Amino acid sequence: MFINITKSETGGNTGSCAQLVNYLEKENKLVGFSKELWFNESSNIIAPFKVRSSIDANVAKLSKIDGKFYLVNLSPSQKELSYLKERFGEEKVAEKLKEYAIKMMDEYAKNFKRKGVTSNRDLLWFGKVEKFRYYSYKDKQVKDGSKKAGDRKEGLQYHIQIIVSRKDITNSIKLSPQNTSRGKNQVHSQKMGQFDRFAFKQSGEDVFDESFGFERSYQNSLAYSNAVKKGDRSTNIKYAGVGKLVSQFAVLASNAGEIIQEIDRHAFRHRSSADSIRSVVKILNNLHWFLKRRRLLRHQRLPSFLRGLIWGHRVATRLTRKRRRY
């Protein structure tokens, strides 16, 4: 699931949203395809002029240089779209994505932690389902010459674009997803409506999985990709190792987070990064050895079993140190 929040796809967001609304109407101008109207929780047949006039009018006490709206992009992966098609049929994919978008705007509202802003009903927003994507000059296929910029991409390409006003539905509270302040004065930061982008993106996976019963592999999760991308060497080894365990022992998939917490609790107790790396590798090797050679998963409770293995590693390490010391 790719989730992104930007000012606009057509430039800035300090003026009217008319240019953006017109740009997002591009698929309705194609010949031979049914028109897709805008939607929110209240209606599925909202005309473009209603979107433009509502957003442009909801700007009380915003200066000329203040952002007036934001664009939220919800783009399911090919695996997620294929799952929806297989379970509900392709004709229902757009409808299910609309349901998902409404729930995600609930998460968007809750993320601000502002009194009076707790659900999508407290926001002024309009969404639109798009069915196609096109190659750009950034794509590998365009660079190697196999595709041209502007060619339509193959496969399911459903995604949702949402225009949300900077002000709440009452036109009295400012809400900016760009305010990621984590200053010392937490009360002031919350009063200004701080927004946790990572938590919002993580909620995208959680809401999708819970709503549609999608079983997400650990290696395809946001937590895994983010840790591998931004973590240090010991963190990368930890996540890669747990990922391999999950791929070999599918029963561990729902407990991947707990395994990581237990490793953090017992491995990252050293000041030296080299010691932490050795400890992580040793724990992962011990876990793999036990899981592969001892078939205890069938008759033992998994969480307590894993804690026992990791705790056993820690005790064994202490005994080894004692022998060396004396």
Side-chain angles (χ1 to χ4, degrees):
M1 179 67 66
F2 176 79
I3 298 176
N4 194 28
I5 303 175
T6 58
K7 295 179 180 179
S8 174
E9 283 196 6
T10 57
N13 66 340
T14 58
S16 171
C17 68
Q19 188 177 2
L20 177 58
V21 172
N22 184 61
Y23 170 76
L24 295 177
E25 282 290 304
K26 58 186 181 295
E27 290 189 2
N28 285 339
K29 300 173 184 177
L30 298 175
V31 178
F33 295 95
S34 59
K35 290 188 176 183
E36 185 71 46
L37 295 176
W38 295 76
F39 73 94
N40 57 23
E41 190 185 45
S42 303
S43 176
N44 283 327
I45 50 172
I46 303 174
F49 75 87
K50 176 67 174 177
V51 176
R52 182 178 64 251
S53 59
S54 298
I55 296 291
D56 287 350
N58 203 58
V59 294
K61 296 184 180 181
L62 292 178
S63 68
K64 291 183 179 180
I65 61 173
D66 284 336
K68 309 299 189 302
F69 56 88
Y70 295 96
L71 180 66
V72 181
N73 178 276
L74 306 176
S75 298
S77 66
Q78 288 292 311
K79 287 184 178 180
E80 291 165 335
L81 288 173
S82 298
Y83 174 81
L84 292 180
K85 178 183 177 181
E86 182 179 348
R87 181 174 179 185
F88 303 105
E90 187 171 355
E91 66 281 358
K92 292 284 187 179
V93 171
E95 178 185 336
K96 294 302 176 181
L97 288 179
K98 289 179 181 180
E99 296 174 5
Y100 171 71
I102 293 172
K103 293 180 180 179
M104 282 306 299
M105 293 313 291
D106 285 335
E107 298 298 323
Y108 181 91
K110 294 174 186 175
N111 200 297
F112 287 104
K113 298 180 176 62
R114 293 289 300 271
K115 185 178 180 179
V117 183
T118 57
S119 74
N120 78 90
R121 300 183 189 89
D122 301 314
L123 305 171
L124 180 63
W125 67 278
F126 302 93
K128 192 170 188 298
V129 175
E130 292 190 323
K131 300 178 181 178
F132 307 117
R133 285 193 179 280
Y134 301 88
Y135 288 101
S136 72
Y137 68 93
K138 295 181 181 180
D139 291 313
K140 180 181 178 182
Q141 294 86 342
V142 175
K143 292 179 179 179
D144 63 23
S146 59
K147 296 290 182 180
K148 294 181 180 179
D151 287 349
R152 188 181 296 171
K153 291 186 176 181
E154 304 82 2
L156 293 175
Q157 299 293 338
Y158 284 90
H159 59 282
I160 293 181
Q161 304 278 18
I162 298 172
I163 301 178
V164 56
S165 175
R166 168 76 181 274
K167 303 294 290 290
D168 75 323
I169 192 71
T170 65
N171 204 6
S172 59
I173 302 176
K174 292 182 181 180
L175 301 169
S176 173
Q178 292 185 319
N179 180 17
T180 57
S181 171
R182 297 291 184 273
K184 294 181 180 179
N185 191 337
Q186 295 184 0
V187 176
H188 176 72
S189 295
Q190 290 182 359
K191 182 179 179 181
M192 296 302 294
Q194 64 184 16
F195 192 88
D196 190 333
R197 288 195 173 214
F198 181 81
F200 179 61
K201 292 179 180 180
Q202 181 62 59
S203 69
E205 290 186 353
D206 297 339
V207 170
F208 188 92
D209 297 350
E210 292 173 6
S211 299
F212 306 121
F214 182 72
E215 295 184 1
R216 188 179 306 276
S217 66
Y218 178 64
Q219 293 90 333
N220 291 327
S221 67
L222 176 64
Y224 175 80
S225 60
N226 190 66
V228 171
K229 182 179 179 181
K230 298 183 178 180
D232 55 19
R233 189 182 174 194
S234 59
T235 301
N236 291 343
I237 292 172
K238 174 184 65 177
Y239 277 89
V242 173
K244 288 182 179 179
L245 286 176
V246 170
S247 65
Q248 292 183 27
F249 306 98
V251 70
L252 299 178
S254 60
N255 298 92
E258 186 172 358
I259 297 174
I260 290 173
Q261 290 177 3
E262 289 297 321
I263 292 176
D264 289 343
R265 190 178 305 170
H266 300 301
F268 293 92
R269 305 167 66 90
H270 311 282
R271 295 182 180 179
S272 168
S273 60
D275 288 342
S276 295
I277 293 173
R278 282 194 292 268
S279 185
V280 169
V281 171
K282 190 174 291 185
I283 290 175
L284 289 171
N285 286 339
N286 286 348
L287 283 174
H288 183 269
W289 188 89
F290 275 103
L291 292 170
K292 190 174 182 179
R293 290 168 174 76
R294 302 186 182 184
R295 300 178 180 179
L296 301 177
L297 293 177
R298 296 178 181 176
H299 58 274
Q300 295 199 28
R301 294 182 62 187
L302 191 58
S304 59
F305 171 58
L306 292 171
R307 277 196 293 270
L309 286 182
I310 296 175
W311 180 259
H313 156 78
R314 190 178 173 194
V315 172
T317 302
R318 283 181 173 178
L319 292 174
T320 302
R321 287 177 181 171
K322 280 186 177 183
R323 292 192 195 103
R324 288 177 181 175
R325 187 179 303 168
Y326 301 104

